[in-house]
Structure formats: C-alpha cells, structure tokens
Amino acid sequence: MSQAMTSAPVAENKVSLWRRFLNNRGPVYIVLTLIGFLWIFPFLWMALGSVKTQREILAKPPKLLPEHVTWENFARWFTQLDFGTYFTNSLIVSVITVLGNIVFCSMVGYALAKMKFTGKNILFGAVMVTLMVPSVATFVPLFVIVSNMGLSNSYAALILPFLTQPIGVFLMRQFIGGIPDALMEAARIDGAGEVRIFFQIILPQCGPAIATLSILTFLSSWNNFLWPLVAAQTEDKYTLPVALSLYSTGQNATNYSVLLAGAVLVITPILLLFIFLQRYFIQGVAMTGIK
C-alpha cells in the first residue's frame, strides 16, 4: 500500500516533466540541434582530416578523431605550394573589391533612396533585373572587354568587374531609405552640399549595412573561382580557390590530407571575419530585410 502511494507521485512528476518539456519547445530544440550537427559535420570532418595522415584518412572503418595529429599538411602549403602568393592575391582582390563596393554601392543606394530624378524607378528596376542574370553568362563579354583594354592577367582584371554589385546597391538603398529625411533637410539648411551630406551624415549611420555588405562581398570575392580561373593566366596571379582546384587535379588528386588542409586555410579568414562582425551582420540583415 505504502509503495503504491509513493510510486503515484513519482509517476505524476514524470508526466509533469514531460509536459513541461513539450510546452517549452523541447522537440524543436532537439530537431534544430540535429540539423545543426548535420550541417556542421562536413566542416568538422574537414578540420579533423586536415591534421590526419593520408593513411588515417583512408583507414577502414573511418575514424573521426585523428590518432596522431600532424601539421605537415599545412606546412606543405607554405613550403612547397607558394601559399603566400595565393593568399596575398586573394587578400588584395577581396579587400579592394570590398572597399569599391562600399563606396560605389553606397553612392548609388543614396541616389536611388533619397534623390529625385527622372527615371529613378526604371533605373532601380534595371538594377533588380541584373540580379536575375547568372554571373557565368557575363564571363565571355567581360573577358572580351578586359582583353581589349589590355588588362588580362592583372589585378585590375580580377577586381574591376566586381567593384559594384546589384545586391550591394539593393542593400544600401534599403538601409539608407530608412534614414529620416529631416537629417538631410537640417544639413541643407546649415549649408551642406550633397557630397558633404553623404559622407558626414548618411555614411556614418550605415555601419550595420556596410558591415553586412563587407561580409557578403568579401565572401563572394574570396570564394570566386570561375572568373579568376579565366582572367588569371599565370601562377603569380592565381587566387586561393584556383590554386586549390589546380592542386586537386592530376597526381595530387588523391592527396586528401593536403587538400583538406588547403580547404581549412581558405575558409579560415572568412570565419574570422564573420566572428568579428556577426553582430553588425545580423543587425544589418534584420534592418534591410535581406533573407
């Protein structure tokens, strides 16, 4: 009798805990955790594989954790594969592309959001239409233009076609459109011109949008593979994705440990940039409505 009386409250407590778990969206968290693990597992496999030996990577059954951590795979990129040149090329191209997008996309976004001129809506519609055009479809005319200008196999060929992008114009236009017109009117009453209003009033308030644009542009430029493969014709102008793809062909195609180490080196700057700017990135996405 006493045992039945004590077991009843325990059962009720278990039911109460289960109901509280369901009411607190416990199953949702479990599903999201599983999806997050599935999403991050390839990156985890890549990171752990980069410090394994070739024998460990090909071992059957495969093991997730390395038995003997080795940094030789990374060392080969610095000692034998001229990683410094490829990294410098990617950094120069990406940084200048980001700066160009910040300046030009902000100017175009400001004009489309705050200025009144004939054909503004048509111009904005034309910018939106270019978002639908696959970038691959523009490679041939771009290459012809770059070649006729005598810029083949140069930094200018890698940078100029991407100094302004439609998604950047859209982002900046949406953000600047939310800035009150009263600020500009007050500046005009004080005698400020449009250039001064743009650089001293508008641009300082675009921090979240600029951070978002910087991350998106840097990510796009850093991972760009097809255009550098077409425009760069000698190894001294290769970027990291091109160098990584070339190393993954021919007799090096089966050296998985070095390839994984190269992939880790390629994505590390992007991860660091996102970690430092993620607060501004999330804020900018939320305020501009990009999904």
Side-chain angles (χ1 to χ4, degrees):
M1 182 65 183
S2 60
Q3 184 177 359
M5 294 178 63
T6 54
S7 60
V10 172
E12 290 179 358
N13 289 335
K14 289 182 178 178
V15 173
S16 177
L17 288 174
W18 177 246
R19 287 178 178 172
R20 191 183 305 171
F21 174 75
L22 293 177
N23 292 334
N24 290 334
R25 301 180 180 179
V28 175
Y29 294 143
I30 292 177
V31 172
L32 291 178
T33 302
L34 290 175
I35 293 175
F37 179 76
L38 290 175
W39 180 83
I40 204 172
F41 183 77
F43 294 95
L44 184 63
W45 179 268
M46 177 184 67
L48 294 174
S50 65
V51 293
K52 291 179 181 177
T53 61
Q54 182 76 352
R55 182 181 59 80
E56 285 184 87
I57 292 179
L58 299 177
K60 295 181 180 180
K63 296 180 180 178
L64 179 62
L65 299 177
E67 294 180 359
H68 306 286
V69 176
T70 175
W71 303 104
E72 184 180 350
N73 302 322
F74 293 95
R76 288 194 60 181
W77 278 93
F78 290 94
T79 57
Q80 301 178 16
L81 301 175
D82 202 8
F83 175 82
T85 299
Y86 307 139
F87 181 85
T88 303
N89 291 340
S90 288
L91 191 63
I92 291 174
V93 172
S94 300
V95 169
I96 296 179
T97 303
V98 168
L99 294 177
N101 274 268
I102 290 174
V103 174
F104 297 121
C105 290
S106 300
M107 289 181 174
V108 179
Y110 173 65
L112 292 176
K114 296 297 184 183
M115 290 185 174
K116 297 179 181 178
F117 56 89
T118 305
K120 185 175 77 171
N121 293 331
I122 297 176
L123 180 60
F124 179 65
V127 172
M128 291 297 96
V129 168
T130 58
L131 282 173
M132 312 299 174
V133 180
S135 59
V136 179
T138 64
F139 278 5
V140 173
L142 274 179
F143 183 76
V144 172
I145 294 173
V146 168
S147 298
N148 291 337
M149 294 175 68
L151 300 176
S152 297
N153 197 35
S154 66
Y155 287 125
L158 299 173
I159 295 170
L160 283 178
F162 303 100
L163 277 182
T164 304
Q165 300 188 58
I167 185 64
V169 173
F170 172 75
L171 189 150
M172 297 307 299
R173 187 242 186 205
Q174 294 297 101
F175 189 89
I176 294 174
I179 298 176
D181 294 338
L183 289 175
M184 294 180 295
E185 295 299 332
R188 290 191 182 101
I189 292 173
D190 290 340
E194 292 300 327
V195 175
R196 186 178 176 187
I197 291 174
F198 174 73
F199 283 104
Q200 294 189 354
I201 305 295
I202 300 298
L203 209 55
Q205 301 190 48
C206 297
I210 290 175
T212 305
L213 178 62
S214 300
I215 292 177
L216 293 177
T217 306
F218 189 88
L219 182 67
S220 173
S221 179
W222 189 268
N223 290 333
N224 194 0
F225 166 68
L226 287 178
W227 178 250
L229 182 66
V230 172
Q233 298 165 1
T234 56
E235 286 196 17
D236 63 321
K237 292 296 184 297
Y238 284 171
T239 57
L240 276 175
V242 177
L244 186 62
S245 70
L246 293 179
Y247 188 78
S248 63
T249 59
Q251 61 180 1
N252 299 314
T254 56
N255 199 339
Y256 302 116
S257 56
V258 177
L259 286 174
L260 291 174
V264 170
L265 291 173
V266 170
I267 69 169
T268 298
I270 298 174
L271 291 178
L272 293 176
L273 183 69
F274 179 77
I275 290 172
F276 284 118
L277 297 178
Q278 64 172 330
R279 182 165 64 90
Y280 300 101
F281 176 73
I282 294 172
Q283 186 179 356
V285 170
M287 297 182 71
T288 54
I290 291 181
K291 296 180 179 178

